[in-house]
Amino acid sequence: MKIAVTVENGMIFQHFGKSSAFEVYEIEGNKVTSKSLVSAGQNQHSALVGQLREMGIDLLICGGIGGGAKDALNNAGIGFVSGAVGEADAAVEAYLAGTLKDNPEAQCNHHGAGHVCH
């Protein structure tokens, strides 16, 4: 299994569509076997879903995310847990322990200057 987490300085980045990097975790037997930092390049919003699909990602952990991105992830067969906060490593461990759950309230549905998704 491969898990990608939106990150900035080791912390979960809170706006999926503006992510500049992902921490990618390889999982075997419910244990992290490797992790690597992958740049999102110039990709934003729905193009990020294509990048995740090409990387073979099974699950995305992120902060805020819009409805269009959720639909694109579903269409690509990539699961997601939105509304996560804190350190990326801790979020992956919580997911593997069964304690990290999706927060549907983490929907990002507004944009503008100074916008931050929660």
Side-chain angles (χ1 to χ4, degrees):
M1 170 184 226
K2 279 181 144 178
I3 299 175
V5 183
T6 57
V7 292
E8 184 174 69
N9 299 320
M11 303 298 282
I12 298 170
F13 186 68
Q14 292 300 302
H15 187 154
F16 169 74
K18 298 285 186 180
S19 298
S20 63
F22 299 97
E23 197 74 64
V24 176
Y25 299 80
E26 294 269 354
I27 310 298
E28 289 183 27
N30 217 33
K31 300 276 187 206
V32 175
T33 58
S34 69
K35 78 174 187 176
S36 58
L37 186 65
V38 176
S39 171
Q42 298 300 312
N43 292 324
Q44 291 191 343
H45 294 94
S46 62
L48 291 169
V49 175
Q51 180 181 3
L52 294 174
R53 185 181 59 244
E54 289 173 12
M55 292 171 17
I57 299 300
D58 299 297
L59 177 80
L60 169 72
I61 297 174
C62 63
I65 185 170
K70 288 180 178 183
D71 289 344
L73 287 165
N74 282 327
N75 290 338
I78 300 171
F80 60 87
V81 175
S82 61
V85 296
E87 294 181 352
D89 290 352
V92 170
E93 291 299 328
Y95 176 80
L96 294 174
T99 59
L100 183 68
K101 305 291 183 198
D102 183 56
N103 176 1
E105 300 295 316
Q107 173 104 0
C108 174
N109 58 13
H110 55 279
H111 293 94
H115 164 73
V116 177
C117 293
H118 298 286

